[in-house]
């Protein structure tokens, strides 16, 4: 799967957090916090993350991310970040997105 190595590098950022693990989402590798997926690779090699709806819309409006549609439904809190021109640029963008997604999903599970 394209860009799996970038996802694995990002996963290392969370190595000190025992509740963050690698898992799968729609047969694609992803990161889970307490069993909840917060980031995974799309089938076209993009990074898909879960963010607050307002933030997701801001990123889409700015052209930094794309809406995620599953079937006929556009997901409110899931956005996709395509790979950038270089692996380094992609890693910087994806690392930031994954950390933001982790914070969001972690806050959701701690408040429930």
């Amino acid at each position: 799967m394209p860009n799996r190595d970038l996802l694995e590098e990002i996963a290392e950022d969370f190595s000190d957090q025992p509740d963050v693990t690698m898992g799968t989402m729609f047969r694609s590798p992803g990161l889970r916090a307490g069993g909840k997926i917060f980031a995974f690779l799309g089938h076209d090699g993009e990074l898909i993350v879960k963010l607050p709806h307002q933030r997701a819309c801001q990123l889409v409006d700015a052209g930094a991310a794309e809406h995620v549609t599953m079937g006929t439904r556009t997901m409110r809190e899931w956005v996709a970040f395509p790979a950038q021109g270089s692996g380094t640029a992609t890693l910087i963008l994806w690392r930031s997105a994954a950390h933001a997604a982790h914070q969001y999903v972690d806050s959701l599970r701690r408040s429930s």
Side-chain angles (χ1 to χ4, degrees), residues 68-85:
V68 173
T69 301
M70 295 185 186
T72 59
R73 183 171 172 226
T74 299
M75 309 308 288
R76 290 177 37 89
E77 297 180 314
W78 291 94
V79 291
F81 290 89
Q84 302 299 295

Side-chain angles (χ1 to χ4, degrees), residues 33-109:
K36 303 286 185 188
I37 288 280
F38 64 90
F40 68 98
L41 288 179
H43 294 290
D44 293 326
E46 70 276 24
L47 182 72
I48 300 173
V49 300
K50 183 172 185 167
L51 297 170
H53 176 68
Q54 183 176 358
R55 181 66 180 138
C57 289
Q58 290 170 342
L59 290 164
V60 169
D61 290 345
E66 301 167 357
H67 286 291
V68 173
T69 301
M70 295 185 186
T72 59
R73 183 171 172 226
T74 299
M75 309 308 288
R76 290 177 37 89
E77 297 180 314
W78 291 94
V79 291
F81 290 89
Q84 302 299 295
S86 72
T88 301
T90 301
L91 183 61
I92 290 168
L93 175 64
W94 286 11
R95 179 172 270 144
S96 175
H99 281 270
H102 175 257
Q103 282 184 317
Y104 178 56
V105 169
D106 196 48
S107 73
L108 292 176
R109 56 183 201 102

